Amino acid sequence: MKEFNESEIIKDLKIDARGVGIPEGAAEIFINRTMKEAKKTLKNKSIITETDLKRVIVKELKKYHKDLAYVYQNRDTIV
Amino acid sequence: MNILEKQPPTCYNLNMNVLISVGILILAMLIMAFLQITPGVFALSYHYAIGKYSKKKASRLMLFFIIGVEIITACVLLSVYYLISILCFGNFQPETSILTWIMIGILFAFSILSAFYYYRRGNSTKLYIPRKFARALDSSAKSIKTNSDAFVLGVISIACELLFILPLFIVSAIELMRLDLHSIPINLLAILLTLAPLFPLFIIHYKFQAGYNLANILKSRSKNKSFNRVILSLSYLIIAVLIICFKVNLQ
């Protein structure tokens, strides 16, 4: 079991966003809004699987940038 | 001496046997170019490198990745060629040897394997390699910092693909050895064989330079999965059939 580490997720998302070609300012806004919404959704849950967390983040990211959401969704299934 | 007499132009003696050998080598190159671990790791590490560093540094890291891939491929081909040539100094004759039949069996097996088990089930581009290996490759791609990291990752990604590469190199080494030096530029074929795994890497590099991102590349890889399977499977099958029909002495 791992503790929820928001800063690690944000760091990964920032790398992905830059890799996908989103300008830094826009990426920051997308990521902050996504994390805010994700935390709101998961507010009542004390334990959550990584898959569920990923699903919630991807669902929120899709609203802002589909390519970023696709990369984040598939980051462990490329090779 | 008649000074008007011209030197005869160099003409290559292309008989059927030579054409079949060249055909086998071209199919081997095709398979090498269609294997997926190295392009997958390359795309992933390129994506992370662009995400972390400047474009210039990312390009330099990827150059070292490519050098790693090329060097290990050349080393493996040369080692296999050397081992086969040692065998050929003895009584080894590929036409009648049991090794050829073993190779044919392996090629048939890989034809089936690449059709059904090269990719894992699902929509993703997950490959046959154990998940621990895949995770290790993923985290190595993520943590590339120096040129040597990139070089080592290139070497490791080819090493992970050795299962599918080794039988090809054994067959190719035998064919290269059989070719007559005067009939075809063998060195050129050997060089092309070692360069074959780089073709998809150059395409991915070009795509990144042209503004594509990892999502576009992944989507196209995912879309072409079936085509990739068919090409791999058919190429292994055709090589095996060509060896049985033209290279093995059945009497």
Side-chain angles (χ1 to χ4, degrees):
Chain A
M1 199 154 58
K2 268 197 310 190
E3 207 165 295
F4 173 67
N5 190 344
E6 191 186 345
S7 60
E8 201 174 297
I9 296 171
I10 290 175
K11 196 179 148 195
D12 285 345
L13 280 171
K14 275 183 181 171
I15 292 171
D16 282 340
R18 210 174 153 210
V20 167
I22 305 170
E24 224 162 288
E28 193 114 349
I29 294 167
F30 295 163
I31 293 165
N32 286 341
R33 284 185 185 171
T34 299
M35 292 313 292
K36 201 175 158 188
E37 287 301 315
K39 274 195 282 186
K40 212 187 273 180
T41 313
L42 304 169
K43 199 168 59 180
N44 301 326
K45 292 176 180 167
S46 55
I47 296 174
I48 184 173
T49 62
E50 269 186 49
T51 324
D52 283 340
L53 179 64
K54 201 181 204 179
R55 201 178 53 233
V56 172
I57 293 172
V58 167
K59 194 183 156 194
E60 290 303 322
L61 275 178
K62 268 184 189 166
K63 292 176 190 169
Y64 306 108
H65 203 284
K66 283 190 176 167
D67 281 353
L68 177 59
Y70 189 84
V71 169
Y72 190 75
Q73 189 178 17
N74 291 290
R75 54 180 13 239
D76 303 324
T77 63
I78 293 165
V79 186
Chain B
M1 190 183 155
N2 184 1
I3 52 164
L4 293 173
E5 208 173 282
K6 283 182 183 170
Q7 286 276 318
T10 317
C11 58
Y12 293 125
N13 172 27
L14 289 175
N15 59 30
M16 190 63 180
N17 221 8
V18 171
L19 284 177
I20 297 295
S21 296
V22 173
I24 289 173
L25 288 168
I26 289 172
L27 283 171
M29 287 174 210
L30 194 69
I31 294 175
M32 296 285 294
F34 270 80
L35 291 173
Q36 287 297 308
I37 295 178
T38 315
V41 176
F42 182 78
L44 196 60
S45 38
Y46 208 148
H47 167 76
Y48 286 131
I50 290 174
K52 282 182 183 172
Y53 311 113
S54 65
K55 266 199 168 178
K56 197 178 165 191
K57 185 171 179 182
S59 293
R60 198 178 67 237
L61 288 173
M62 291 308 106
L63 175 70
F64 276 86
F65 184 100
I66 288 171
I67 293 171
V69 169
E70 179 54 25
I71 286 180
I72 187 71
T73 311
C75 284
V76 173
L77 180 64
L78 286 175
S79 311
V80 172
Y81 190 89
Y82 180 69
L83 285 174
I84 300 284
S85 65
I86 288 174
L87 280 175
C88 284
F89 271 120
N91 280 334
F92 175 72
Q93 282 182 320
E95 294 83 4
T96 52
S97 163
I98 188 81
L99 177 76
T100 309
W101 285 107
I102 293 171
M103 289 318 301
I104 290 166
I106 290 173
L107 289 170
F108 273 123
F110 279 148
S111 170
I112 297 165
L113 276 176
S114 49
F116 299 108
Y117 301 106
Y118 192 70
Y119 287 101
R120 284 171 189 259
R121 282 179 195 165
N123 288 328
S124 67
T125 51
K126 269 186 190 173
L127 297 168
Y128 65 95
I129 52 168
R131 288 299 87 196
K132 270 189 181 177
F133 274 24
R135 273 194 289 275
L137 284 172
D138 187 70
S139 62
S140 306
K142 207 187 282 181
S143 58
I144 283 184
K145 278 181 190 153
T146 59
N147 296 339
S148 54
D149 289 343
F151 180 87
V152 170
L153 189 60
V155 171
I156 292 172
S157 62
I158 283 286
C160 287
E161 223 148 32
L162 271 184
L163 179 72
F164 276 78
I165 289 176
L166 262 184
L168 279 183
F169 276 1
I170 294 172
V171 170
S172 305
I174 292 172
E175 293 311 321
L176 283 171
M177 224 165 282
R178 273 174 178 163
L179 282 172
D180 183 9
L181 194 64
H182 301 292
S183 62
I184 207 92
I186 299 170
N187 293 341
L188 180 71
L189 283 172
I191 290 169
L192 281 177
L193 193 63
T194 61
L195 287 176
L198 302 187
F199 294 142
L201 306 191
F202 284 128
I203 291 170
I204 292 171
H205 182 76
Y206 169 76
K207 278 189 165 180
F208 271 111
Q209 294 290 327
Y212 286 80
N213 58 41
L214 185 65
N216 307 132
I217 291 165
L218 287 183
K219 279 173 193 166
S220 75
R221 273 184 75 201
S222 190
K223 209 171 107 187
N224 295 320
K225 254 165 73 173
S226 306
F227 175 70
N228 206 36
R229 272 193 199 126
V230 170
I231 293 286
L232 283 176
S233 179
L234 275 181
S235 303
Y236 276 116
L237 189 70
I238 294 170
I239 292 177
V241 171
L242 284 177
I243 292 174
I244 292 175
C245 294
F246 296 100
K247 300 291 175 181
V248 180
N249 193 352
L250 294 168
Q251 289 164 348

